[in-house]
PDB file of all heavy atoms in Angstrom:
ATOM      1  N   HIS A 399     177.804 120.607 130.492  1.00  0.00           N
ATOM      2  CA  HIS A 399     178.922 120.438 131.421  1.00  0.00           C
ATOM      3  C   HIS A 399     180.186 119.935 130.739  1.00  0.00           C
ATOM      4  O   HIS A 399     181.284 120.049 131.296  1.00  0.00           O
ATOM      5  CB  HIS A 399     178.519 119.475 132.545  1.00  0.00           C
ATOM      6  CG  HIS A 399     178.301 118.063 132.086  1.00  0.00           C
ATOM      7  ND1 HIS A 399     177.168 117.681 131.372  1.00  0.00           N
ATOM      8  CD2 HIS A 399     179.051 116.942 132.230  1.00  0.00           C
ATOM      9  CE1 HIS A 399     177.235 116.394 131.102  1.00  0.00           C
ATOM     10  NE2 HIS A 399     178.358 115.915 131.605  1.00  0.00           N
ATOM     11  N   LYS A 400     180.045 119.392 129.531  1.00  0.00           N
ATOM     12  CA  LYS A 400     181.217 118.962 128.753  1.00  0.00           C
ATOM     13  C   LYS A 400     181.675 120.040 127.772  1.00  0.00           C
ATOM     14  O   LYS A 400     182.528 119.776 126.930  1.00  0.00           O
ATOM     15  CB  LYS A 400     180.889 117.681 127.990  1.00  0.00           C
ATOM     16  CG  LYS A 400     180.606 116.481 128.873  1.00  0.00           C
ATOM     17  CD  LYS A 400     180.342 115.225 128.023  1.00  0.00           C
ATOM     18  CE  LYS A 400     180.095 114.013 128.892  1.00  0.00           C
ATOM     19  NZ  LYS A 400     179.833 112.787 128.075  1.00  0.00           N
ATOM     20  N   GLU A 401     181.103 121.212 127.897  1.00  0.00           N
ATOM     21  CA  GLU A 401     181.391 122.347 127.008  1.00  0.00           C
ATOM     22  C   GLU A 401     181.047 122.031 125.559  1.00  0.00           C
ATOM     23  O   GLU A 401     181.705 122.491 124.633  1.00  0.00           O
ATOM     24  CB  GLU A 401     182.856 122.804 127.137  1.00  0.00           C
ATOM     25  CG  GLU A 401     183.173 123.412 128.494  1.00  0.00           C
ATOM     26  CD  GLU A 401     184.504 124.125 128.519  1.00  0.00           C
ATOM     27  OE1 GLU A 401     185.383 123.778 127.701  1.00  0.00           O
ATOM     28  OE2 GLU A 401     184.664 125.047 129.345  1.00  0.00           O
ATOM     29  N   LYS A 402     179.993 121.252 125.378  1.00  0.00           N
ATOM     30  CA  LYS A 402     179.442 120.988 124.048  1.00  0.00           C
ATOM     31  C   LYS A 402     178.245 121.916 123.828  1.00  0.00           C
ATOM     32  O   LYS A 402     177.431 122.119 124.739  1.00  0.00           O
ATOM     33  CB  LYS A 402     178.984 119.539 123.928  1.00  0.00           C
ATOM     34  CG  LYS A 402     180.096 118.516 124.120  1.00  0.00           C
ATOM     35  CD  LYS A 402     181.109 118.564 122.982  1.00  0.00           C
ATOM     36  CE  LYS A 402     182.144 117.453 123.131  1.00  0.00           C
ATOM     37  NZ  LYS A 402     183.180 117.531 122.072  1.00  0.00           N
ATOM     38  N   PRO A 403     178.102 122.492 122.639  1.00  0.00           N
ATOM     39  CA  PRO A 403     176.990 123.414 122.389  1.00  0.00           C
ATOM     40  C   PRO A 403     175.640 122.695 122.498  1.00  0.00           C
ATOM     41  O   PRO A 403     175.465 121.591 121.985  1.00  0.00           O
ATOM     42  CB  PRO A 403     177.228 123.882 120.953  1.00  0.00           C
ATOM     43  CG  PRO A 403     178.668 123.616 120.676  1.00  0.00           C
ATOM     44  CD  PRO A 403     179.004 122.387 121.472  1.00  0.00           C
ATOM     45  N   ILE A 404     174.705 123.337 123.182  1.00  0.00           N
ATOM     46  CA  ILE A 404     173.333 122.823 123.236  1.00  0.00           C
ATOM     47  C   ILE A 404     172.346 123.843 122.648  1.00  0.00           C
ATOM     48  O   ILE A 404     171.171 123.534 122.486  1.00  0.00           O
ATOM     49  CB  ILE A 404     172.913 122.460 124.667  1.00  0.00           C
ATOM     50  CG1 ILE A 404     173.006 123.665 125.600  1.00  0.00           C
ATOM     51  CG2 ILE A 404     173.742 121.297 125.185  1.00  0.00           C
ATOM     52  CD1 ILE A 404     172.445 123.404 126.993  1.00  0.00           C
ATOM     53  N   GLY A 405     172.831 125.029 122.311  1.00  0.00           N
ATOM     54  CA  GLY A 405     171.948 126.020 121.714  1.00  0.00           C
ATOM     55  C   GLY A 405     172.648 127.337 121.459  1.00  0.00           C
ATOM     56  O   GLY A 405     173.681 127.634 122.075  1.00  0.00           O
ATOM     57  N   VAL A 406     172.101 128.095 120.541  1.00  0.00           N
ATOM     58  CA  VAL A 406     172.625 129.417 120.193  1.00  0.00           C
ATOM     59  C   VAL A 406     171.453 130.374 120.021  1.00  0.00           C
ATOM     60  O   VAL A 406     170.459 130.024 119.379  1.00  0.00           O
ATOM     61  CB  VAL A 406     173.447 129.382 118.886  1.00  0.00           C
ATOM     62  CG1 VAL A 406     173.967 130.778 118.541  1.00  0.00           C
ATOM     63  CG2 VAL A 406     174.592 128.384 118.984  1.00  0.00           C
ATOM     64  N   GLN A 407     171.558 131.569 120.615  1.00  0.00           N
ATOM     65  CA  GLN A 407     170.589 132.628 120.386  1.00  0.00           C
ATOM     66  C   GLN A 407     171.322 133.853 119.851  1.00  0.00           C
ATOM     67  O   GLN A 407     172.410 134.183 120.338  1.00  0.00           O
ATOM     68  CB  GLN A 407     169.836 133.006 121.669  1.00  0.00           C
ATOM     69  CG  GLN A 407     168.840 131.971 122.144  1.00  0.00           C
ATOM     70  CD  GLN A 407     169.520 130.811 122.834  1.00  0.00           C
ATOM     71  OE1 GLN A 407     170.258 131.014 123.788  1.00  0.00           O
ATOM     72  NE2 GLN A 407     169.306 129.601 122.357  1.00  0.00           N
ATOM     73  N   ILE A 408     170.726 134.491 118.875  1.00  0.00           N
ATOM     74  CA  ILE A 408     171.334 135.674 118.272  1.00  0.00           C
ATOM     75  C   ILE A 408     170.287 136.777 118.216  1.00  0.00           C
ATOM     76  O   ILE A 408     169.250 136.623 117.582  1.00  0.00           O
ATOM     77  CB  ILE A 408     171.848 135.394 116.843  1.00  0.00           C
ATOM     78  CG1 ILE A 408     172.805 134.201 116.836  1.00  0.00           C
ATOM     79  CG2 ILE A 408     172.551 136.629 116.286  1.00  0.00           C
ATOM     80  CD1 ILE A 408     173.253 133.790 115.439  1.00  0.00           C
TER      81      ILE A 408
END
Side-chain angles (χ1 to χ4, degrees):
H399 67 285
K400 295 182 178 180
E401 293 193 335
K402 299 292 185 183
I404 59 173
V406 179
Q407 288 77 56
I408 305 175

